[in-house]
Amino acid sequence: MVGIIGRNGAGKSTLLKILSRITEPTSGRFGVRGRVASLLEVGTGFHLELTGRENIFVSGVTLGMTRAEIKKRFDQIVEFSGVEKFLDTPVKRYSSGMQVRLGFAVAAHLESEILIVDEVLAVGDAEFQKKCVGKMDDVARSGRTVLLVSHNIQNIKSLSTNALHLDAGCVREVGDSRTVCNTYMRSLASGERVELRPNEEFTIDCVRLLDGREQATEYFQPGDELIVEINCTAHRRVERPHFFVAIRSSHGSAFGGSMIIDGHCPDYIDGPAALRCTFPSIPLLPQDYTVGIGVRRVEGEYQVTTLDPAAQFRVLGPLEAYGLNGQIAERMLASSIPVLVPYTWTLPSGEQASVSLEPKA
């Protein structure tokens, strides 16, 4: 599995369209060995007037499958997609999420040698995204090739063996996925301006992470103060923008701050602006984390913009210093929830043993 990352406008989707033979390259050449199944946008390859059932067969034939091969996998596709009740309904009446569910189910279950998936999976709900990630992992383990474009860096790190970082249509770096992703995240945190999308009214220009001394850093200790500084620009006046900050580990969301929940927000932003979200004591164990930023308007009615991930940081520290002295502590914590809530054991002997963010003497 190869992950493809980069800012908006870097050329990720264009590259996938070329490899899917949808777009002709302006210059140069490319080669593909094997059948390609691709899911590049909502409704890819579907005829909107046909039903879901009919579109499964149309998509399969387009991929070069025989009718017998499609029928063999038909029940698996329907079960995975979760659209059984609407199978004989025209696809034009499906929501965007339902179209994505069916499109991914078809692309993943019909045995092409190469599966190409764009960020379109972000349309689906959390449960379905989890199923898709598991299915892509199964496809890759079966010996087939997966090309995945995603802004979810944790997914790229955990799923991909290699990654390709595109910048303005050029390859900036290619190699081990963790190394490439870490370099990319550092470039996001370096203050480089985010690419402005056409007609975008609001951009997040720069996100910096500061410690309690207001020094920019990407390294923290458990219990440290974390300041997320956001510099943004409203290219047209935005009334009551609601910001949220999400701190995530490889296992998902850890904690965050949300104006949608707490009710605090600026009256408006018109032009450049800066704001901060300060976490006085991060309850995190030593791991890698990413920061996502988003903005909604009018009590969360709809999304204005997102930058996710916007920054990356690492929490360091010897586990023993916080009372984590188990024989396989590091191995277990690498696959567990990263937030540490202080607790105390009282043993049968009456002896007490505690774990907290206060380092032991």
Side-chain angles (χ1 to χ4, degrees):
M1 187 179 294
V2 178
I4 303 174
I5 59 176
R7 296 175 183 272
N8 294 314
K12 305 182 298 297
S13 296
T14 302
L15 174 61
L16 296 192
K17 286 180 180 179
I18 290 173
L19 296 178
S20 300
R21 298 187 177 92
I22 293 170
T23 300
E24 286 290 327
T26 308
S27 62
R29 60 190 179 86
F30 71 97
V32 176
R33 187 168 67 242
R35 290 186 296 199
V36 176
S38 58
L39 187 61
L40 304 181
E41 59 186 40
V42 175
T44 296
F46 285 164
H47 191 299
L48 298 183
E49 297 295 335
L50 299 181
T51 66
R53 182 188 304 275
E54 291 165 336
N55 269 298
I56 291 175
F57 283 92
V58 170
S59 296
V61 171
T62 303
L63 292 173
M65 311 295 290
T66 66
R67 186 174 180 85
E69 288 177 305
I70 299 168
K71 290 183 69 174
K72 179 181 177 182
R73 297 173 180 83
F74 184 86
D75 291 342
Q76 296 174 350
I77 293 169
V78 173
E79 181 182 359
F80 189 93
S81 69
V83 299
E84 299 96 325
K85 295 180 181 178
F86 310 98
L87 202 55
D88 294 307
T89 300
V91 167
K92 67 180 181 181
R93 304 197 187 282
Y94 284 19
S95 68
S96 58
M98 290 168 65
Q99 289 186 36
V100 167
R101 294 172 79 99
L102 185 59
F104 182 86
V106 172
H109 285 81
L110 297 179
E111 289 197 359
S112 57
E113 286 79 21
I114 303 166
L115 175 61
I116 297 178
V117 184
D118 204 344
E119 188 65 75
V120 67
L121 291 182
V123 177
D125 57 45
E127 181 183 358
F128 185 68
Q129 288 181 37
K130 187 175 181 180
K131 285 175 66 176
C132 291
V133 168
K135 185 60 181 177
M136 284 189 290
D137 193 34
D138 291 342
V139 169
R141 290 178 185 276
S142 71
R144 291 182 279 166
T145 298
V146 179
L147 298 180
L148 171 66
V149 164
S150 179
H151 287 290
N152 188 324
I153 299 300
Q154 295 297 349
N155 274 351
I156 296 291
K157 280 185 177 182
S158 61
L159 288 171
S160 305
T161 50
N162 291 283
L164 175 72
H165 177 192
L166 287 182
D167 186 19
C170 299
V171 177
R172 176 176 284 194
E173 186 179 10
V174 62
D176 172 72
S177 61
R178 187 166 292 274
T179 301
V180 173
C181 288
N182 287 342
T183 304
Y184 171 61
M185 292 305 304
R186 282 193 290 271
S187 76
L188 288 179
S190 66
E192 299 175 25
R193 185 175 177 82
V194 177
E195 293 290 333
L196 178 62
R197 301 174 195 169
N199 303 318
E200 190 168 35
E201 61 179 335
F202 196 100
T203 53
I204 298 168
D205 303 320
C206 176
V207 176
R208 292 201 308 157
L209 304 181
L210 310 175
D211 59 20
R213 297 171 297 171
E214 302 214 356
Q215 300 294 312
T217 182
E218 57 182 278
Y219 299 104
F220 295 84
Q221 297 282 330
D224 276 359
E225 183 175 11
L226 167 65
I227 303 169
V228 181
E229 182 181 81
I230 305 166
N231 291 276
C232 56
T233 302
H235 305 281
R236 293 189 293 275
R237 178 173 167 133
V238 176
E239 303 287 342
R240 294 183 57 77
H242 287 64
F243 288 76
F244 65 85
V245 176
I247 310 298
R248 297 189 177 94
S249 73
S250 59
H251 308 289
S253 295
F255 64 92
S258 172
M259 294 180 180
I260 301 168
I261 297 174
D262 59 48
H264 304 293
C265 73
D267 291 331
Y268 68 90
I269 293 180
D270 189 3
L275 67 156
R276 289 180 171 186
C277 185
T278 300
F279 301 97
S281 177
I282 51 175
L284 299 176
L285 293 167
Q287 285 185 30
D288 290 332
Y289 300 88
T290 59
V291 181
I293 308 292
V295 186
R296 289 180 179 269
R297 188 207 302 268
V298 190
E299 306 299 336
E301 185 177 305
Y302 68 88
Q303 200 93 330
V304 175
T305 190
T306 58
L307 184 58
D308 191 0
Q312 175 177 272
F313 66 94
R314 176 173 293 181
V315 175
L316 304 171
L319 298 179
E320 296 83 0
Y322 304 95
L324 299 166
N325 304 306
Q327 293 179 347
I328 56 172
E330 289 192 13
R331 192 193 318 165
M332 293 299 294
L333 290 174
S335 59
S336 68
I337 297 173
V339 175
L340 176 63
V341 176
Y343 61 90
T344 299
W345 290 107
T346 301
L347 305 181
S349 63
E351 178 187 356
Q352 290 192 330
S354 64
V355 171
S356 75
L357 293 176
E358 293 294 329
K360 305 293 184 280

